[in-house]
Amino acid sequence: MNISIPAFDWNFWKMIVEVLILWMVFYRVFLFLKGTKAVYLLRGIIILIIAFFFFQKMGFYVLSWLLTKFFAFFLILVVIIFQPEFREGLIRLGRRHFFSIEPRKEEIEKTLREIVSAVGTLSRKKIGALIAIKREIGLKSYIESGVVVNAELSAELLQNIFYPSAPLHDGGVVVDGTHIVAVACLFPLSENRALERTVGMRHRAGVGMSENSDAVVIVVSEETGAVSLAINGQLTRHLTPNDLFTILKGQLGQPK
Amino acid sequence: MKIFRKVNFKNVLVNNLWLKLMALATAIIVWMYVSGEITKGVRI
């Protein structure tokens, strides 16, 4: 490797551009994998790679040969096991515009208005609801625990989902951008002892979800109809629809 | 209450910092490995 650093050395700038592109690609891949079961697989691969280099350096040629053979088999296995993730990733890549990745500001605002409208109605009718709005961290493991719907979000659809006799009303809804991705999802319960005793399971699940991801979680109490918002493990209770909209807009209103 | 989230470069950098550092380390390692392999190939 011949690396010289003068300002106008084309090779040096080519190297920087290549590393930056690789960095962006790896970061996107890691972000995509975060919050999925594939993280464990990634850890396994990293351990195997470290072991491979260690064996090579120490001259354990039989072990490194075995690992090389295992890698080839392992790659095929990975493609088979994670075929749905690969498919989703490629579809997402194809769907996105290269520079405007996220929905436009107006679309986000419209979605937030729909959510606030639905939450207002559910609160008045004292119908319990649990809505997690995805931000950067993937929520695939939670999505997989529910029923995938991938439907465009509307206030009516949200109300319908949480209607007490509806088959999918139990559990949480995951919203990504302008879409309801999944319903009846299982969210992790918070073990925070500082939470009030009056806080029920739905609120604990909302707080738990916000502790385990960067999602913004809206909770509507079945008993009181009170609207709460959980962000980063902090629960803000008794919000009016206006407060809710303002906070949501502040948190999510700007495209990333 | 803030209505719009300001684009804060500190936040952009600090958000998922570990993930970014890990991605950067991986990118540098991969680049160095591949570059080394290519150079080896050229020498042969």
Side-chain angles (χ1 to χ4, degrees):
Chain A
M1 237 179 304
N2 186 19
I3 304 167
S4 46
I5 311 179
F8 298 107
D9 185 346
W10 175 233
N11 283 335
F12 171 72
W13 289 110
K14 261 199 306 195
M15 178 197 82
I16 296 288
V17 170
E18 279 178 334
V19 170
L20 284 177
I21 292 170
L22 279 174
W23 184 16
M24 198 179 75
V25 170
F26 281 120
Y27 178 63
R28 281 284 149 196
V29 170
F30 291 167
L31 211 61
F32 179 69
L33 294 177
K34 201 173 173 184
T36 68
K37 287 172 200 158
V39 167
Y40 303 109
L41 179 95
L42 196 70
R43 274 187 211 162
I45 291 174
I46 289 170
I47 291 168
L48 283 178
I49 289 171
I50 292 169
F52 175 73
F53 282 117
F54 176 75
F55 292 151
Q56 279 233 317
K57 196 90 187 155
M58 300 301 285
F60 297 152
Y61 297 115
V62 174
L63 289 176
S64 60
W65 183 87
L66 278 173
L67 269 183
T68 319
K69 294 291 161 197
F70 179 69
F71 269 132
F73 170 70
F74 192 67
L75 276 178
I76 298 166
L77 210 68
V78 165
V79 173
I80 294 168
I81 295 171
F82 290 96
Q83 185 253 343
E85 275 82 3
F86 279 118
R87 192 177 53 194
E88 195 192 327
L90 288 172
I91 289 171
R92 269 207 220 173
L93 193 73
R95 233 193 250 155
R96 285 176 173 187
H97 299 285
F98 197 75
F99 290 107
S100 65
I101 295 163
E102 303 299 325
R104 284 179 299 136
K105 196 178 141 199
E106 306 85 70
E107 287 176 332
I108 297 171
E109 259 192 54
K110 184 178 169 275
T111 308
L112 294 183
R113 280 187 201 288
E114 293 287 327
I115 293 172
V116 172
S117 159
V119 166
T121 312
L122 292 166
S123 165
R124 275 194 302 279
K125 293 182 179 172
K126 291 189 179 172
I127 296 172
L130 183 59
I131 304 162
I133 307 169
K134 182 188 159 265
R135 286 204 276 190
E136 283 227 13
I137 297 175
L139 303 174
K140 262 179 234 83
S141 53
Y142 307 110
I143 291 169
E144 282 163 8
S145 69
V147 178
V148 176
V149 289
N150 270 328
E152 195 168 328
L153 192 146
S154 71
E156 293 77 16
L157 181 59
L158 265 181
Q159 288 165 36
N160 210 3
I161 289 165
F162 289 112
Y163 192 71
S165 52
L168 298 174
H169 82 281
D170 258 340
V173 161
V174 176
V175 173
D176 184 0
T178 56
H179 280 68
I180 295 176
V181 183
V183 299
C185 300
L186 299 175
F187 292 173
L189 292 179
S190 169
E191 288 177 18
N192 185 355
R193 287 173 191 273
L195 279 177
E196 293 170 44
R197 283 192 172 198
T198 49
V199 164
M201 284 300 177
R202 185 175 284 118
H203 288 81
R204 281 199 177 274
V207 177
M209 183 64 153
S210 72
E211 284 169 349
N212 287 283
S213 69
D214 66 346
V216 174
V217 189
I218 304 166
V219 190
V220 181
S221 166
E222 209 170 12
E223 286 88 38
T224 61
V227 178
S228 309
L229 194 68
I231 301 170
N232 298 326
Q234 298 294 315
L235 190 68
T236 314
R237 304 190 72 187
H238 306 290
L239 292 167
T240 64
N242 279 341
D243 288 342
L244 181 67
F245 182 71
T246 315
I247 298 173
L248 287 179
K249 202 173 161 187
Q251 294 287 333
L252 311 149
Q254 290 280 76
K256 289 188 268 294
Chain B
M1 214 175 285
K2 266 192 279 176
I3 291 182
F4 293 111
R5 194 169 54 175
K6 282 181 189 167
V7 178
N8 186 339
F9 285 105
K10 193 183 158 199
N11 280 352
V12 170
L13 199 77
V14 171
N15 254 351
N16 292 318
L17 183 66
W18 278 110
L19 218 60
K20 278 174 186 149
L21 289 177
M22 221 165 77
L24 181 63
T26 317
I28 292 170
I29 291 167
V30 168
W31 188 88
M32 286 175 85
Y33 179 75
V34 175
S35 171
E37 287 295 303
I38 292 168
T39 317
K40 221 192 280 175
V42 169
R43 271 180 206 151
I44 289 164

